[in-house]
Amino acid sequence: MASIPVIVKHQGKRHEIELDPTSTGETFKYQLYSLTGVEPERQKILVKGGQLKDDTDLSTLGAKPGQTFMMMGTPSGGDGADEFLHPKEKMKFVEDMTEAEAAKAEGATPAGLQNLGNTCYLNSTLQTLRSVPELQDELLRYKASAIGGLGSSDFSQFGLGGLGTSMDLTASLRDLYQQMSETQEGFPPLMFLNALRTAFPQFAQKSKTGNGYAQQDAEEAWTQIVSQLRQKLKIKDATTNESDTPSGAQKDEISFIDKYLAGRFETRLECDEPAAKEAGEEAIESEDVFLKLDCHINKDINHLRDGILAGLEEKIEKNSPALDRDAVYTKRFQISRLPKYLTVHFVRFFWKREAQKKAKIMRKVTFPAELDVVEFCTETLRKQLVPVRDKVREVRKDEEDVTRARKRQKLAHKQEEDRKIDLKAKAPVDETKPAKNKASQKLASDGDAEMTDAVYKTDVEYDAERAASIMAAKKELFGLINPELAADEGANKSGLYELRGVVTHQGASADSGHYTSYVKKQGPLDPTTGQRKEEDGKWWWFNDDKVSEVDAAKIESLSGGGESHSALILLYRAIDLPTAEEVKD
């Protein structure tokens, strides 16, 4: 079928173009893109019956030579300019990038870690900890003592950074993460492994078979690494007032772990026997730091919440001063501070005396993608968290309602447009114009119909209204944050957490089997604003040096129930809340 010469009017200009009846509306739009610079998705081409759609068969338009079409729309680059602009930065293809540049490019696969002989427990732990961006940033600022006049940087290019830091575990972790950021291949964590075995000889235990090193518990590796970081990695305490700091003195230093990964308990120890109370024995109250919450598992535990609750109360047998004999006490824990990053440990392993090994509890225990921990907190903290938590849920519901309403409105508009097209198609040729006038009169008299068309056609206006609504909600939400919590940068201010990492174990005991980890993908970094873009909801699965992408549905299958992969450690992060910079005018 021969092409048809037609004319397209756009912003006062006439563009002559060949319309191919065998192609689609999308092809026609790309032809106009080459003439006007208006991207296809921003074009509105008016044809008989409405707007030209991408999947429209152009042969159905019945176009005639010399026929004129109207096009609306402007290029995304600015004020309707129809010229192409050169990119500000020269495009660089992956083939031309260095290994380090390719590893930092958008969409790059993160580095895996080679298994150096039963070291999957360590690899899974390191990958999950690496998902804490604040930790990576602070490690880069960490300075360790050097030996022989050489620092770790002199060795790091060879993967030997630990030599320059005298096997400093924290410096070894810094160098390892730096090296992993510059490659997409599986990296051997040899120097860190040596530093770990030097600091904690338990991880240098040989296999009972005499072949290499023994398998270890990932939770024990996590605990030891975090405890070492707690001692070594110090940061300035931003909450210290300048007026409280002597002239010339630095602000107080606190542990990075205490700020971002440690919470606090208020504990109450009380004797179970009424006779002790009658004798005047009072409950003992104290405050403790915790680095993780334990999820205890028994025949009655089916969900993470139930296991955490079980772990917040324990029985202790000790001497009662009032009774002058041993008695049973109950120790209860309530959270008085929530860290930004919350670690939860499934207590799946226990010592089986007859087998002389750590056996595994196979029971299925589900866990949520978003965890609400308000009920585990003290009354004081609950009062600070509840208004923010409830407002977050209210805002989410409002956004969902608006989105559903817009979808319904667009559907109604489409149905109305289709109905008008059907009416025009059925109308006789000599009655087409009167029918059009009647339809116009109906639309003019029907205020609701006009509003529907206006909203549907002006997506930019809708987006502007939505942005204004979101900003108003953010300001209201920010105003609800307790000032004391707002001053604590490393604290959770809503009581809500989102799941970011999972360490899993496959097998029947801690001394065997295989460990892997899952880390939620971050949104790509916007080089202009420095902010993360929207996430796609997918996860990275780190299986030693093999790294692959999986859907969120895979995470839901890690609840246990057999020897397959089951969650052992969960890493939650406080949900994002508006900051002062976001809401200021």
Side-chain angles (χ1 to χ4, degrees), residues 348 360-361 502-506 558-562 564-568:
R348 289 195 175 275
K360 182 178 179 181
I361 301 174
V502 184
V503 176
T504 68
H505 178 265
Q506 179 185 34
L558 304 175
S559 301
S564 60
H565 282 286
S566 54
L568 180 69

Side-chain angles (χ1 to χ4, degrees), residues 19-32 40 43 45 52-59 61:
L19 185 149
D20 183 0
T22 63
S23 61
T24 63
E26 184 179 26
T27 303
F28 190 56
K29 288 182 178 181
Y30 273 102
Q31 288 180 270
L32 290 172
Q43 296 178 19
I45 303 170
L52 180 65
K53 299 179 181 178
D54 289 349
D55 57 355
T56 299
D57 185 347
L58 296 185
S59 63
L61 297 181

Side-chain angles (χ1 to χ4, degrees), residues 47 59 68 120 298 382 450:
V47 296
S59 63
T68 300
C120 57
N298 57 42
R382 280 203 297 267
E450 283 194 327

Side-chain angles (χ1 to χ4, degrees), residues 142-145 162 165-173 195 228 232:
Y142 176 75
K143 303 296 181 184
S145 58
T165 54
S166 189
M167 306 307 286
D168 183 315
L169 191 71
T170 303
S172 295
L173 184 62
Q228 188 76 357
K232 290 282 190 177

